[in-house]
Amino acid sequence: MATAPRRRASMGRQKIEIRKIESEEARQVCFSKRRAGLFKKASELAVLCGAEVAAVVFSPAGKAFSFGHPSVEAIFDRFVPSAAQHPGAVAAGAGLGASGDRNLAELNRQYGELRTQLEAEKARKERAEEAMAKERAAGNQMAAWLDADLRDMGEEELMAFAAALVEVQAAVSERANQVLQEALNVGRSRSASRMLQAPPPHQQQQQLAGGGTFEFGGTSTNAGMEIQQKLLAVPPPPPPGFAPGMDIVQHGGFPY
Amino acid sequence: MATAPRRRASMGRQKIEIRKIESEEARQVCFSKRRAGLFKKASELAVLCGAEVAAVVFSPAGKAFSFGHPSVEAIFDRFVPSAAQHPGAVAAGAGLGASGDRNLAELNRQYGELRTQLEAEKARKERAEEAMAKERAAGNQMAAWLDADLRDMGEEELMAFAAALVEVQAAVSERANQVLQEALNVGRSRSASRMLQAPPPHQQQQQLAGGGTFEFGGTSTNAGMEIQQKLLAVPPPPPPGFAPGMDIVQHGGFPY
DNA sequence: CTTAGCCATATTTGGTTGAC
DNA sequence: GTCAACCAAATATGGCTAAG
């Protein structure tokens, strides 16, 4: 058409991390958009599932917005009847027996924690997946073992597994050396050298901790301990997770 | 509607009208998904815009779920100044049977739900544990392999074996490093320390930050949150490594 | 039954621009 | 400064299947 600088009218939706938006302005705009979106979602949830939903939002400026079906009051009322969810309150419980005496705050905290962990694990899993592909490339039988259910391992297991790996690594290394030695002794240079010509593509990544291949005990007696120490040596463990902090209460299960 | 029998494993997301879902089952599923989505949105809104958000939803079955930042009660209070939610300790000790009966019962049920959640997680871990046992078994097998009598091997065999070892070694090494890294990234709470059956007594239990409630109202600078989110932001590439000494955060404990 | 993915597509919403 | 509109990429999630 005319002389209209047809520049891409948009960069499309940009990905943003869930952290407080710096720009006051952008934040305000975002607030509006998302508030609307939230209410819409709330509404849909209410209609689609015949659920009772209430949502109250205070803009950073202090203005209040709310959505409620049938009404905010109704929901709140139902929710708060005797609310014993005061951190200080006891909210003893008997129903569920032993552990029923936790107060909501605690449950809350626990849940948030759990969720955070799940989130973290999820991320980890993905990275693992990636690495796995690489290993598979190695094409050897061991890869299978290495791949195994690592993806499903929890932190604990991972740690233990790591310890195991270190051991194996040492053993393999040693053995490899031996084999090479043997090979050389028997003197069939031909293949011996060729073998070495096939350097595993991932050898490069062996550096991490010490600056080279980590050398945990050639002995398997205390590999675990070593690791433990290494771990502890690491700086503080930054807790990952999505939307940390806010207190998710989930009085109930949260499928995620 | 033209039947498209087995087009693809997925029909992709179908467009649906916003009206009560007929299928009880589908409705339940939808409820779960959307409830999660709603809370996530709420959470994002809170974080992104530094707003205070509360959402309460009652499933058609009557179960209550809620999300609140900083907390549902806080929002409620603010929304309804006259709210009488400071009963002090309605359900204290006595628990069921008191005026907070209904509420408590509800709470208990809810807790049960949560507990189920946790159990699920636990189960998952167990499965992992199991898997690990398997790994270990494989490991033993490998050990045997390592002990194979090289003298009985033919040249070819020997060479192949050696080559394999080298590769395995590399793979293991890399994997070990990776695992360690992962563990470090996530290895905070849980029982990262319990990982070794015979852990050195000097293991300093990491103080986990868990889903602590971070103060929001104010302004920005909340070290804890910053870091957490930063980490999250770090998608995949940036090798967390040991070097970066993000400061930490660990809000020690909770003011409970 | 409840939970966990998968996949393709419906929605949502950053970033911008322009009118109030 | 608020809000609406636009565009395109980021997400959320119906519909299903598989696993407990």
Side-chain angles (χ1 to χ4, degrees), chain A residues 131-147 200-202, chain B residues 145 163-164 167-168 171:
Chain A
M132 191 172 82
K134 240 188 328 189
E135 275 165 28
R136 192 158 288 157
N140 70 36
Q141 179 179 12
M142 284 306 109
W145 180 64
L146 293 171
D147 291 353
H202 23 260
Chain B
W145 194 36
E167 251 179 79
V168 172

Side-chain angles (χ1 to χ4, degrees), chain A residues 159 166 208-216 223-235, chain B residues 177 180 184 195-196 200 202 206 242:
Chain A
M159 302 288 269
V166 171
L208 176 148
T213 304
F214 51 70
E215 315 243 276
F216 275 50
M225 218 161 163
E226 294 295 341
I227 289 186
Q228 176 77 80
Q229 298 192 310
K230 276 277 186 198
L231 284 180
L232 291 176
V234 167
Chain B
N177 273 328
L180 280 175
L184 289 174
M195 90 182 198
L196 301 173
H202 63 245
Q206 302 257 40
F242 299 70

Side-chain angles (χ1 to χ4, degrees), chain A residues 95-148:
Chain A
L96 278 178
S99 46
D101 70 324
R102 313 293 200 67
N103 63 29
L104 266 196
E106 176 58 18
L107 293 184
N108 203 3
R109 189 182 73 57
Q110 276 187 24
Y111 191 82
E113 197 175 297
L114 175 62
R115 189 159 147 75
T116 293
Q117 288 176 2
L118 286 176
E119 200 63 36
E121 212 141 305
K122 202 167 156 196
R124 176 183 67 59
K125 218 173 186 178
E126 253 165 68
R127 275 175 299 166
E129 188 91 27
E130 199 179 320
M132 191 172 82
K134 240 188 328 189
E135 275 165 28
R136 192 158 288 157
N140 70 36
Q141 179 179 12
M142 284 306 109
W145 180 64
L146 293 171
D147 291 353

Side-chain angles (χ1 to χ4, degrees), chain B residues 66-77:
Chain B
S66 74
F67 162 85
H69 176 301
S71 79
V72 180
E73 288 70 37
I75 314 287
F76 277 17
D77 276 339

Side-chain angles (χ1 to χ4, degrees), chain A residues 19-153:
Chain A
R19 56 177 293 133
K20 186 161 183 171
I21 294 173
E22 313 287 344
S23 166
E24 181 93 22
E25 186 185 327
R27 195 192 315 151
Q28 165 53 44
V29 175
C30 177
F31 178 74
S32 285
K33 283 190 174 184
R34 277 170 177 275
R35 167 164 50 71
L38 180 69
F39 286 166
K40 183 175 180 184
K41 289 285 188 189
S43 163
E44 297 183 343
L45 175 57
V47 176
L48 285 172
C49 310
E52 290 182 45
V53 184
V56 176
V57 176
F58 280 92
S59 72
K63 192 170 182 179
F65 299 83
S66 71
F67 164 86
H69 172 78
S71 79
V72 180
E73 287 70 29
I75 314 289
F76 277 25
D77 221 35
R78 188 174 169 188
F79 183 74
V80 188
S82 57
Q85 31 236 124
H86 259 279
V90 189
L96 278 178
S99 46
D101 70 324
R102 313 293 200 67
N103 63 29
L104 266 196
E106 176 58 18
L107 293 184
N108 203 3
R109 189 182 73 57
Q110 276 187 24
Y111 191 82
E113 197 175 297
L114 175 62
R115 189 159 147 75
T116 293
Q117 288 176 2
L118 286 176
E119 200 63 36
E121 212 141 305
K122 202 167 156 196
R124 176 183 67 59
K125 218 173 186 178
E126 253 165 68
R127 275 175 299 166
E129 188 91 27
E130 199 179 320
M132 191 172 82
K134 240 188 328 189
E135 275 165 28
R136 192 158 288 157
N140 70 36
Q141 179 179 12
M142 284 306 109
W145 180 64
L146 293 171
D147 291 353
D149 300 272
L150 194 63
R151 288 164 298 169
D152 288 332
M153 270 187 231

